[in-house]
Amino acid sequence: MAKEIIVNVLARETRVALVDGGKLVELHLEREEQVAGSIYKCKVANVLPGMDAAFVDIALDRNAFLYAGDVLPEADEDVQDTDREPERGSSNIKDLLKIGQELLVQVVKAPRGTKGARVSTRISLPGRCLVLMPESDNVGISRKIDEKPERDRLKKIAEQIRPKGYGIIVRTEAEGSTDKDLKADLEFLLRMWDQIQSKAKTTSAPGLIHQDLSLLYRTIRDSFGDDVRKMFIDSENDYRKAIEVVELISPKMRSKLVRYKENEPIFEHFGLEGEIDRLLRRKVWIKSGGHVTIDQTEALTTIDVNTGKFIGSTSLSDTIVKTNLEAAAEIARQLRLRDIGGIIIIDFIDMSSARDRNHVVTALDKALKKDRTRTKISNISPLGLVEMTRKRTGATISEVVNQACPYCQGRGTILSSESVSLQIERELKKKVVDVEDDEAIVVYAHPDVAGYLIGGGGQTADLIERHLHRPLYIRANSDLHIENYEIVTGDIQELESEMLPHKKASQVECEVVRSSFVSLPRSAAWANGYMIDLANGGKYVGQQVKARLTKVTRSYAQGEVIGAIKAAKSTRKLPAS
C-alpha cells in the first residue's frame, strides 16, 4: 500500500503524519520557530580547553555548544564515495577560537531539556536532490542508493556540475533524476547561499541569518516523493503554499496534493488520534499478544520484549522467536514514530539458538532501513541484548507533548503515605527539642498521610503524643501534595479552643469515606480535616451525614451516624489504603 501524508494545521501547531501500509510510521510537530538546521552569526562566549569545546552565543535562551571537531572540515557519515579525506589541522580549541570571535554556525542539534543547542561551522544546505556544502570539496552519494550503475551515473553528473570550492551530497531522492533536475536544485541552493553570505555581512552577532524552512516545506522536500500516493492538507492557506513549493521543486507531484474539506477533523477521519494517544504510552502491544515496554531516560532508552498473553502453539523456542520477530518490526516503527535518538538497549527474550538470534537481528536491521534517520546496531548478545544508536537532532515526540508530572517531577514514583507519615514523626522528634513547655504542636498533612499518623482507633496519634510529651493535633488538608505537610506550634490554651470546637455529644456534619484503619461495620469520616470513627458508618460511605460524637480527643473522635444528609459532592477515598 502506498504512503500517504496527512497535514493538520492549527493556529499554534502544525502536525504532519506519514502513513505507510495503513499504519502511522512518522509524526512531526511544529509549535515554535525552527531551530535545528538554522544558521546563526554567533559570538564565542567561553572557550573550555578541558572539554575541547566552546560555548557560543546565538541569541537563544542558552548558549550553544561547539566542539573543536565541529570547527574543522569533516566528511559526512551518511555518504560514501567521497573524493578524498578532509584536511585536518590542530584540534586544540584554544588554537581555533578566541572569546569574542564571530563566526557563522549551523544548529545540528536543537536545544533539549536543560541542554543548549549543538552547532557546527560546517554549513550544509539541503535541497530536494542535493545537499550543498560550502567550503568543502568532495562529492558523496547517499548510501541508500544501492544500485552501482545508478550511483556511478549520479556521481558523474555531480562531479560535472559541482562548483569549485563546494561539496555536494546526492540525496536518496535524486535516484532516477536527470542532470537538468540536479542542476536546477544546485542553482537554487547556490542562490540561497549567496543570500546567507550577504545577510551575514550586515548582521551583528549574535543574530539569526537563515531560519530553516517550515515543517510543511521540509516534508515536501524530504518525504513527498514518488512513493507517496497523496498528501492531504486541511488548511486552505497552507494548501496554497504547498502548491507553490511543489511547482517550484517538483511540478509533476502537483496532482497528489489534496485539499481536505470534510467537517470531521482530519486526524480523526484517518484514525490517527488513537494512534497518537497510544504512542505516548509506556507499553505497546504487538499482534501476537506479546508487548514491548519503552522507558526513556536522559542517557539512553531501554526497550524490553515480553511474550505477554501469547502462549504459542508448537514449542517454547518458536513462541519466543515469533514474539521477538514481531517485536523487532514494532520497535523499528516506534523508534521512528516517537523520534527516539541516542543510545538504545533492546532486551529481546532469551534465545538459545545462535541462528535464531541472528534471524532477529537481521529482521531488526531490515526494518530500520525504512528509517531516514541514521541508525547503527550491534550483534545480539547471549543475554538477548542489542545495543544500537539512532541519530538525535532534537526533542522526542514525548518531550514535545508531555511535561514532567507536578507530583513526582518526572521520577515516576512518589513517597507512600506511610513513608511521609514516618518522615513527619521523625521531624516531630527533632522539633520538640525547641518547643516550650506551654506549647502544643499541630500537624497539617494530606488526608492519606493524616490517616497513618492517627492510626486505627487513634492508637498511633496517642503513641506519638506520649513520646513527644506534648499535646498533638493532627488535621487533614486535601489541598496539600501528598509529600508536603506543615508543622506549627502554639500556646496550648489557644490551640485547645481553636482546634477542638466540638464537645462530647455534639452533632457534626461529615463526609464518610473508606479507610484501611477502620473495619466494617465501622467507617471513617472527615469534618473540616478532623477524623471521626463512626460505629455504624460502613453503609454511608460516599455520603454526607450528621453524626453524634461519643468521644473527643485532640486528633480524632468517635461517634455514630444519626442520618444521611445527601450524597457527597466528592467520592474521594480519604485516607486511601
Side-chain angles (χ1 to χ4, degrees):
M1 189 182 296
K3 299 178 184 176
E4 292 181 334
I5 298 175
I6 318 300
V7 182
N8 170 226
V9 181
L10 297 176
R12 295 179 296 133
E13 178 187 65
T14 298
R15 298 188 296 176
V16 174
L18 176 61
V19 178
D20 188 1
K23 278 190 172 184
L24 177 65
V25 294
E26 286 185 22
L27 177 67
H28 303 281
L29 308 179
E30 187 172 71
R31 294 181 176 177
E32 53 189 22
E33 66 179 26
Q34 176 67 15
V35 174
S38 295
I39 298 172
Y40 294 83
K41 189 174 184 180
C42 76
K43 182 176 289 187
V44 179
N46 198 5
V47 177
L48 308 173
M51 298 182 67
D52 215 12
F55 282 107
V56 298
D57 185 1
I58 59 173
L60 296 181
D61 293 339
R62 292 183 297 275
N63 287 345
F65 197 71
L66 175 61
Y67 281 108
D70 287 327
V71 181
L72 305 173
E74 188 173 283
D76 193 283
E77 297 180 10
D78 284 336
V79 298
Q80 294 176 331
D81 296 345
T82 51
D83 285 338
R84 59 182 176 83
E85 288 294 318
E87 296 179 2
R88 290 179 179 271
S90 169
S91 61
N92 192 322
I93 193 68
K94 292 190 297 183
D95 298 334
L96 297 170
L97 300 174
K98 306 296 179 186
I99 293 177
Q101 181 179 345
E102 297 181 359
L103 61 157
L104 211 59
V105 295
Q106 185 172 34
V107 176
V108 294
K109 284 188 178 181
R112 181 172 178 264
T114 59
K115 296 181 180 179
R118 178 179 166 184
V119 297
S120 171
T121 61
R122 301 194 306 272
I123 309 297
S124 62
L125 302 177
R128 184 171 181 82
C129 299
L130 303 174
V131 177
L132 179 68
M133 299 180 295
E135 301 178 12
S136 183
D137 195 27
N138 57 282
V139 171
I141 309 295
S142 169
R143 291 183 178 184
K144 293 187 177 181
I145 299 177
D146 298 324
E147 298 296 328
K148 189 176 186 305
E150 179 65 3
R151 295 177 64 84
D152 293 342
R153 183 185 74 86
L154 291 172
K155 184 178 180 181
K156 183 177 180 181
I157 296 174
E159 288 174 337
Q160 290 174 346
I161 66 174
R162 180 181 66 85
K164 187 177 181 180
Y166 290 86
I168 289 178
I169 297 173
V170 180
R171 305 186 70 187
T172 309
E173 190 59 37
E175 191 168 9
S177 298
T178 65
D179 56 349
K180 183 178 179 181
D181 295 331
L182 299 183
K183 284 180 182 177
D185 205 32
L186 177 61
E187 289 172 2
F188 170 74
L189 295 173
L190 287 171
R191 287 196 301 270
M192 182 186 294
W193 176 237
D194 287 340
Q195 292 170 359
I196 290 170
Q197 288 182 301
S198 298
K199 187 173 180 180
K201 292 176 182 178
T202 59
T203 301
S204 301
L208 175 65
I209 302 300
H210 169 75
Q211 185 172 347
D212 198 19
L213 303 165
S214 69
L215 175 59
L216 179 61
Y217 183 99
R218 297 196 310 274
T219 300
I220 294 173
R221 181 191 68 194
D222 299 337
S223 303
F224 193 40
D226 292 333
D227 59 341
V228 175
R229 188 181 70 86
K230 295 287 182 183
M231 174 186 275
F232 299 87
I233 305 174
D234 66 354
S235 162
E236 181 65 31
N237 187 43
D238 286 78
Y239 172 69
R240 293 185 180 278
K241 289 180 182 177
I243 290 176
E244 294 176 6
V245 173
V246 169
E247 292 285 3
L248 178 66
I249 65 175
S250 185
K252 64 181 181 180
M253 302 291 286
R254 166 70 177 81
S255 61
K256 295 186 177 184
L257 289 174
V258 178
R259 169 73 169 97
Y260 179 81
K261 297 182 179 181
E262 304 298 326
N263 292 327
E264 185 181 19
I266 189 169
F267 270 36
E268 292 282 358
H269 178 81
F270 286 96
L272 298 176
E273 293 293 2
E275 285 274 358
I276 294 171
D277 178 62
R278 283 190 288 275
L279 78 86
L280 298 175
R281 298 177 188 174
R282 179 171 174 261
K283 182 181 291 187
V284 180
W285 292 95
I286 54 181
K287 187 177 179 181
S288 65
H291 61 80
V292 297
T293 304
I294 303 172
D295 290 302
Q296 293 178 245
T297 67
E298 186 173 353
L300 54 82
T301 298
T302 60
I303 302 176
D304 186 40
V305 181
N306 291 280
T307 52
K309 297 179 288 187
F310 181 49
I311 59 174
S313 57
T314 54
S315 67
L316 177 60
S317 60
D318 287 344
T319 301
I320 290 173
V321 171
K322 183 175 181 181
T323 302
N324 282 337
L325 289 173
E326 285 191 4
E330 186 60 32
I331 288 168
R333 173 176 173 256
Q334 289 295 327
L335 294 177
R336 185 179 175 191
L337 183 55
R338 299 174 188 231
D339 201 15
I340 295 173
I343 300 171
I344 300 158
I345 306 296
I346 306 171
D347 184 9
F348 285 105
I349 305 169
D350 292 349
M351 294 169 286
S352 57
S353 167
R355 188 179 72 171
D356 289 343
R357 292 197 293 270
N358 291 333
H359 190 191
V360 170
V361 173
T362 301
L364 177 63
D365 187 40
K366 182 179 179 181
L368 288 171
K369 289 188 182 300
K370 299 178 182 178
D371 193 346
R372 290 185 293 114
T373 301
R374 184 173 72 247
T375 58
K376 294 180 181 178
I377 66 172
S378 68
N379 291 325
I380 193 167
S381 75
L383 296 177
L385 296 177
V386 170
E387 296 178 11
M388 65 168 289
T389 61
R390 185 175 185 271
K391 186 177 179 181
R392 177 161 56 195
T393 57
T396 66
I397 291 295
S398 177
E399 289 168 333
V400 173
V401 173
N402 297 333
Q403 67 178 27
C405 168
Y407 251 39
C408 71
Q409 297 300 319
R411 300 196 310 270
T413 60
I414 58 174
L415 287 174
S416 67
S417 303
E418 183 178 16
S419 296
V420 177
S421 71
L422 291 167
Q423 184 176 314
I424 293 172
E425 188 174 346
R426 289 190 290 269
E427 189 164 332
L428 285 172
K429 288 186 177 181
K430 290 191 297 182
K431 185 123 183 138
V432 75
V433 177
D434 301 321
V435 176
E436 301 293 337
D437 291 340
D438 59 346
E439 289 185 312
I441 303 175
V442 184
V443 175
Y444 296 98
H446 187 277
D448 292 359
V449 178
Y452 273 98
L453 285 170
I454 296 168
Q459 292 180 0
T460 304
D462 293 342
L463 183 62
I464 295 173
E465 193 173 54
R466 286 199 300 271
H467 286 171
L468 296 176
H469 303 293
R470 293 289 187 279
L472 175 65
Y473 300 88
I474 299 170
R475 295 293 181 269
N477 181 352
S478 59
D479 291 332
L480 284 174
H481 184 301
I482 201 166
E483 293 182 332
N484 292 343
Y485 51 87
E486 185 180 2
I487 299 175
V488 297
T489 60
D491 181 79
I492 292 175
Q493 292 183 350
E494 291 180 2
L495 287 176
E496 191 77 16
S497 59
E498 178 186 344
M499 304 299 294
L500 282 178
H502 308 300
K503 304 295 182 183
K504 183 178 178 180
S506 60
Q507 297 182 8
V508 298
E509 293 185 5
C510 52
E511 181 181 342
V512 185
V513 298
R514 296 188 187 279
S515 170
S516 59
F517 302 104
V518 183
S519 302
L520 294 174
R522 312 177 72 87
S523 189
W526 294 97
N528 296 321
Y530 186 56
M531 177 181 271
I532 305 171
D533 182 345
L534 298 174
N536 59 342
K539 61 182 178 181
Y540 295 98
V541 171
Q543 298 184 53
Q544 290 283 122
V545 301
K546 181 172 288 187
R548 180 185 294 111
L549 303 183
T550 57
K551 178 181 177 181
V552 176
T553 71
R554 294 186 182 94
S555 295
Y556 73 100
Q558 292 179 353
E560 57 186 7
V561 177
I562 300 172
I565 301 173
K566 58 182 178 180
K569 293 181 180 178
S570 171
T571 57
R572 290 174 300 153
K573 297 178 181 180
L574 305 175
S577 56

